[in-house]
Amino acid sequence: MPVLTTDAESETGIPKSLSNEPPSETMEEIEHTCPQPRLTLTAPAPFADETSCQCQAPHEKLTIAQARLGTPVDRPVRVYADGIFDLFHSGHARALMQAKTLFPNSYLLVGVCSDDLTHKFKGFTVMNEAERYEALRHCRYVDEVIRDAPWTLTPEFLEKHKIDFVAHDDIPYSSAGSDDVYKHIKEAGMFVPTQRTEGISTSDIITRIVRDYDVYARRNLQRGYTAKELNVSFINEKKYRFQNQVDKMKEKVKNVEERSKEFVNRVEEKSHDLIQKWEEKSREFIGNFLELFGPDGAWKQMFQERSSRMLQALSPKQSPMNSPTRSRSPSRSPSPTFPWLPNKTSPPSSPKAASASISSMSEGDEDEK
């Protein structure tokens, strides 16, 4: 929105351009020309000295409530976040994401301290300043990178870059002889807190490397780095290479053990399958055997039927005396009976019985005479 400037005011303190009287002087319109947030991510964020804010329009002081409502509409809210950003990690990216999304229309400026300031007030870094600058330029939340940022923010620096708010975590940052380098920013109402990401920091990453130094030294030796590049002594180099060979042997033994376990497992599975099939077949065989030869089996019934047929064939039943077959065959004479002949089927059981039968036979002969 254009800003109107006048050289005179009414008696009530209201500019003449806003009073009921017609303006007597020419009014000049000044538009905001502040850089807008990046709309494309096909290129890295620019440096501040390449695209500094040359806007001549005055920047009214905003409150946090006003900025969260989306005002002013004619320019973005300029938010500043600074740090060392060594070994750029997800904690850094998350902090910048929070700073970028504090207000509806934010332009995020990120200040990165130089190596000299960092080594003086904090300590040695893993990445140099050029590498840290480039890491920030390729973060999607960053709109502008300020190189060689001051350790403590001054009013001149805030005015130069037209900064509205400063974003950082709320933990007091004691450094450079101060209990909190952001104390004066907080008192001015320009501080907006962000949340730290627990479990990840540059110090934690360095601690992991130092704790497992031997592992990483052996890793880099295995990848082709020389002992001189790793600042490793001749004895340690030989030790690490020997340990690498031992690890390779262990890995081979482990692979052989895993393969043998897989083979044993396969044999066990097949044996279980064979035993299960054998049990099923044995049950089936026993069931079939019982069906044939059990108490009520088919073999017993068949044997009984065949035995009964054999008995019938060996001893057929006699026909009755009054059967029509006998009465219809008169030409057939009955077989003669001889009473004096002994019964062949029932021989005398004793001598007395034999004598009695002989005497009876003789008596019968006398009667016939």
Side-chain angles (χ1 to χ4, degrees):
M1 181 174 64
V3 177
L4 303 179
T5 60
T6 59
D7 296 333
E9 294 182 355
S10 63
E11 296 178 357
T12 59
I14 301 175
K16 291 183 179 181
S17 59
L18 300 179
S19 62
N20 294 329
E21 300 178 2
S24 58
E25 299 182 8
T26 305
M27 301 172 61
E28 183 182 359
E29 293 185 359
I30 302 178
E31 295 183 357
H32 283 285
T33 59
C34 297
Q36 296 297 318
R38 287 197 299 164
L39 299 178
T40 177
L41 300 178
T42 57
F47 289 116
D49 50 7
E50 296 175 356
T51 174
S52 60
C53 182
Q54 303 295 335
C55 181
Q56 299 299 325
H59 279 236
E60 301 83 1
K61 182 177 178 59
L62 299 175
T63 64
I64 296 176
Q66 290 175 339
R68 285 177 177 168
L69 291 175
T71 56
V73 295
D74 57 342
R75 70 172 180 89
V77 178
R78 295 173 68 84
V79 181
Y80 176 79
D82 59 356
I84 309 302
F85 302 106
D86 191 20
L87 297 176
F88 190 82
H89 52 75
S90 61
H92 295 143
R94 187 171 181 272
L96 296 177
M97 179 189 69
Q98 295 178 62
K100 177 68 174 177
T101 58
L102 285 171
F103 308 111
N105 185 22
S106 298
Y107 185 86
L108 180 60
L109 302 93
V110 179
V112 184
C113 299
S114 64
D115 287 344
D116 293 337
L117 282 177
T118 305
H119 298 168
K120 179 180 178 181
F121 293 110
K122 190 169 184 177
F124 193 75
T125 58
V126 178
M127 302 169 63
N128 57 43
E129 59 184 27
E131 294 169 340
R132 293 185 284 116
Y133 296 154
E134 286 299 320
L136 267 297
R137 291 186 68 194
H138 292 81
C139 179
R140 61 180 298 182
Y141 308 112
V142 179
D143 295 306
E144 187 176 316
V145 176
I146 302 176
R147 292 180 284 196
D148 193 11
W151 197 260
T152 302
L153 300 179
T154 61
E156 293 79 14
F157 180 82
L158 299 175
E159 178 64 25
K160 176 183 177 181
H161 296 282
K162 295 180 172 53
I163 295 171
D164 294 312
F165 299 100
V166 176
H168 199 272
D169 61 80
D170 203 15
I171 301 173
Y173 194 85
S174 59
S175 180
S178 175
D179 295 335
D180 189 1
V181 295
Y182 297 103
K183 182 178 180 180
H184 63 290
I185 303 296
K186 295 176 181 178
E187 292 175 352
M190 299 175 62
F191 186 84
V192 185
T194 57
Q195 298 295 324
R196 292 179 63 90
T197 302
E198 297 297 332
I200 183 68
S201 67
T202 302
S203 300
D204 292 339
I205 295 174
I206 295 175
T207 300
R208 297 177 201 172
I209 297 172
V210 173
R211 181 186 60 199
D212 300 326
Y213 168 78
D214 291 349
V215 175
Y216 294 112
R218 290 164 52 190
R219 169 185 176 273
N220 283 5
L221 282 174
Q222 193 173 4
R223 287 174 176 258
Y225 288 88
T226 62
K228 185 178 180 180
E229 291 174 331
L230 297 175
N231 195 22
V232 174
S233 65
F234 176 81
I235 296 176
N236 286 336
E237 178 190 4
K238 298 303 179 184
K239 182 183 72 173
Y240 294 150
R241 294 192 184 280
F242 176 74
Q243 290 176 346
N244 287 336
Q245 294 297 328
V246 172
D247 290 344
K248 288 181 180 179
M249 292 298 297
K250 288 182 179 179
E251 189 69 22
K252 290 181 179 179
V253 172
K254 184 178 179 181
N255 293 335
V256 171
E257 289 179 352
E258 291 178 354
R259 291 177 183 177
S260 61
K261 286 181 180 179
E262 292 179 358
F263 176 75
V264 171
N265 291 333
R266 290 178 183 176
V267 171
E268 288 181 353
E269 291 177 358
K270 290 184 178 180
S271 62
H272 288 321
D273 293 340
L274 291 174
I275 291 172
Q276 186 176 2
K277 290 180 180 179
W278 182 83
E279 289 179 350
E280 293 176 357
K281 293 294 183 181
S282 61
R283 291 194 189 97
E284 183 179 356
F285 175 77
I286 293 171
N288 295 335
F289 182 83
L290 292 176
E291 288 181 0
L292 288 174
F293 302 102
D296 299 329
W299 179 262
K300 182 179 179 181
Q301 296 177 0
M302 182 177 65
F303 180 76
Q304 290 177 353
E305 291 177 358
R306 290 185 178 181
S307 60
S308 62
R309 290 177 183 176
M310 290 175 65
L311 290 175
Q312 289 178 3
L314 293 175
S315 58
K317 296 181 180 180
Q318 294 181 359
S319 300
M321 297 299 294
N322 56 355
S323 62
T325 306
R326 291 181 180 272
S327 60
R328 289 179 184 176
S329 58
S331 60
R332 188 175 179 180
S333 61
S335 59
T337 58
F338 302 96
W340 60 86
L341 292 178
N343 190 3
K344 295 180 181 180
T345 59
S346 59
S349 60
S350 62
K352 292 182 179 181
S355 60
S357 61
I358 292 171
S359 60
S360 62
M361 290 172 61
S362 60
E363 289 177 359
D365 292 338
E366 290 177 357
D367 290 337
E368 288 180 357
K369 290 178 180 182

